[in-house]
Amino acid sequence: MNAFGIDPDNQSGGKEGIAGDRRSDRRYDITLELRWKLIRRRRVLDTGTGTTLDLSSGGILFESERQLPAGGSIELSISWPVLLHNVAPLQLVVIGRVVRASGRRAAIRMMQHEFRTQKAAGDNRSAMTAEAGSSSSFSRTNRRNKLNKLQ
């Protein structure tokens, strides 16, 4: 385990042998807060919150406050534990498909992912933030902050 609660040696979730985990991507045990949106035909059907249990480059296992339907398209916004340039909070935005759901746990296969800056607590920026749905760049925000200091 490291400072972020990640276990880089966990590849198989404790299962070994022929009947064990056959995934090729290394899985990292990490607990991060997330928001999810179930999407169908570009419409948001449902939203909620949850917590990651583990993640890899190909998928994420998370726990939600309620059961999610397998097969649905989903967007996750995950609060990332590292600041961009030690200043800007980040979130990992993932688009994928729910491949497995059991109780409150769901596993998704990632189809797209990107890091976005997110609105910090007490930050009064307008709809330019990722939380408002756009992917504002840190350099644009940095330039705006420098201009505000000069005025």
Side-chain angles (χ1 to χ4, degrees):
M1 288 286 181
N2 67 19
F4 299 117
I6 299 173
D7 182 1
D9 296 325
N10 179 22
Q11 286 187 311
S12 63
K15 298 178 184 177
E16 295 180 11
I18 294 173
D21 193 346
R22 296 184 307 247
R23 292 177 282 210
S24 60
D25 298 326
R26 176 173 279 181
R27 301 195 72 75
Y28 296 91
D29 292 331
I30 184 167
T31 303
L32 301 170
E33 298 299 313
L34 64 83
R35 292 184 323 271
W36 56 264
K37 295 180 196 173
L38 275 179
I39 300 168
R40 183 186 300 152
R41 295 185 183 130
R42 298 181 188 217
R43 288 187 47 223
V44 175
L45 301 177
D46 198 3
T47 62
T49 59
T51 306
T52 62
L53 300 172
D54 68 41
L55 58 93
S56 73
S57 61
I60 298 173
L61 176 66
F62 69 99
E63 195 164 69
S64 177
E65 72 273 5
R66 61 184 174 273
Q67 187 167 354
L68 297 173
S73 294
I74 194 163
E75 179 182 300
L76 303 179
S77 297
I78 303 168
S79 296
W80 202 246
V82 179
L83 299 174
L84 178 64
H85 301 297
N86 292 324
V87 175
L90 289 172
Q91 65 181 355
L92 173 61
V93 178
V94 175
I95 296 173
R97 182 162 308 279
V98 179
V99 293
R100 195 172 62 250
S102 176
R104 294 177 20 180
R105 289 185 174 194
I108 70 156
R109 177 179 301 128
M110 272 195 258
M111 298 194 295
Q112 292 180 323
H113 68 278
E114 68 179 341
F115 282 96
R116 296 180 184 171
T117 55
Q118 72 179 10
K119 188 174 180 177
D123 191 350
N124 291 326
R125 286 183 284 163
S126 65
M128 295 298 291
T129 64
E131 192 151 303
S134 70
S135 54
S136 64
S137 90
F138 176 76
S139 59
R140 183 176 11 189
T141 303
N142 199 21
R143 284 193 302 266
R144 188 180 321 119
N145 289 341
K146 286 180 182 177
L147 285 172
N148 288 339
K149 287 179 183 177
L150 291 174
Q151 293 177 348

